[in-house]
């Protein structure tokens, strides 16, 4: 990266989010929020993912203050904290991470019958200036029939248990079964 790249703290365990930053050539530090996501509820999925991203950021900021690991105000380059969240909406119901294999199987099987929507948020806070920006995005995903063998393989692998709705569109077993993805609404803004 260029000499003037910001320091990045990624407030996420998500392999997909980490891969995005790696593909873009950014180096980053992972600090997780370790919050009880189920304790935060909102009526609308867009409000929920934004509230979760905000709660993760607040928890990480508290950790940073307690640990005193970063003195961002005196750094010559900005430090950015990035938090995010995602839920899946299927047939009007919000789906977060499945609680068990049976729930994951039910979720994935249902995607063959009706489109799923992902609602994701991103929040970026410049720890040097205190400025923050964020927003949410939703996309509708249409699937071909997802065979039971694929569902079994995904569940045996285990990673679907750690993602919203048990849905991993980038997974090599799932991506060929996607008929179409349509971005519906985006409130995300570029952050500089």
């Amino acid at each position: 990266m260029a000499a003037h790249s910001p320091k990045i703290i990624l407030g996420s365990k998500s392999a997909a989010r980490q891969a995005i930053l790696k593909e873009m050539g950014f180096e980053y530090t992972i600090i997780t929020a370790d919050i009880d996501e189920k304790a935060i509820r909102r009526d609308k999925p867009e409000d929920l993912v934004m509230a979760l991203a905000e709660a993760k950021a607040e928890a990480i900021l508290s950790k940073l203050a307690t640990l005193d690991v970063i003195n961002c105000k005196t750094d010559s380059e900005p430090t950015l904290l990035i938090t995010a969240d995602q839920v899946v909406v299927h047939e009007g119901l919000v789906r977060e991470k499945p609680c068990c294999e049976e729930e994951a199987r039910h979720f994935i099987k249902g995607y063959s019958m009706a489109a799923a929507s992902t609602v994701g948020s991103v929040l970026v806070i410049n720890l040097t200036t205190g400025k923050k920006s964020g927003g949410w995005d939703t996309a509708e995903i249409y699937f071909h029939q997802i065979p039971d063998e694929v569902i079994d393989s995904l569940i045996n692998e285990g990673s679907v248990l750690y993602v919203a709705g048990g849905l991993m569109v980038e997974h090599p077993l799932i991506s060929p079964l996607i008929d179409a993805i349509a971005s519906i609404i985006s409130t995300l803004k570029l952050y500089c």
Side-chain angles (χ1 to χ4, degrees), residues 13 32-40 51-60 63 85 97:
K13 297 177 201 172
T32 58
D34 305 319
I35 62 170
D36 178 6
E37 294 185 22
K38 300 284 186 192
I40 300 169
L52 289 167
E54 289 273 358
K56 290 174 184 179
E58 289 172 18
I60 292 168
K63 263 187 192 182
D85 200 75
K97 295 173 184 129

Side-chain angles (χ1 to χ4, degrees), residues 38 95-105 107 160-167:
K38 300 284 186 192
R95 292 181 169 177
E96 296 177 84
K97 295 173 184 129
C99 64
C100 61
E101 291 180 3
E102 183 179 325
E103 187 172 54
R105 182 178 309 283
F107 284 178
V160 295
L161 297 171
Y162 303 100
V163 295
L167 182 60

Side-chain angles (χ1 to χ4, degrees), residues 76-103:
S76 59
E77 301 302 330
T79 299
L80 303 179
L81 169 61
I82 302 172
T83 59
D85 200 75
Q86 179 173 299
V87 296
V88 173
V89 179
H90 186 256
E91 297 184 324
L93 299 174
V94 171
R95 292 181 169 177
E96 296 177 84
K97 295 173 184 129
C99 64
C100 61
E101 291 180 3
E102 183 179 325
E103 187 172 54

Side-chain angles (χ1 to χ4, degrees), residues 52-72:
L52 289 167
E54 289 273 358
K56 290 174 184 179
E58 289 172 18
I60 292 168
L61 289 171
S62 292
K63 263 187 192 182
L64 291 173
T66 302
L67 298 172
D68 197 27
V69 294
I70 296 178
N71 188 351
C72 302

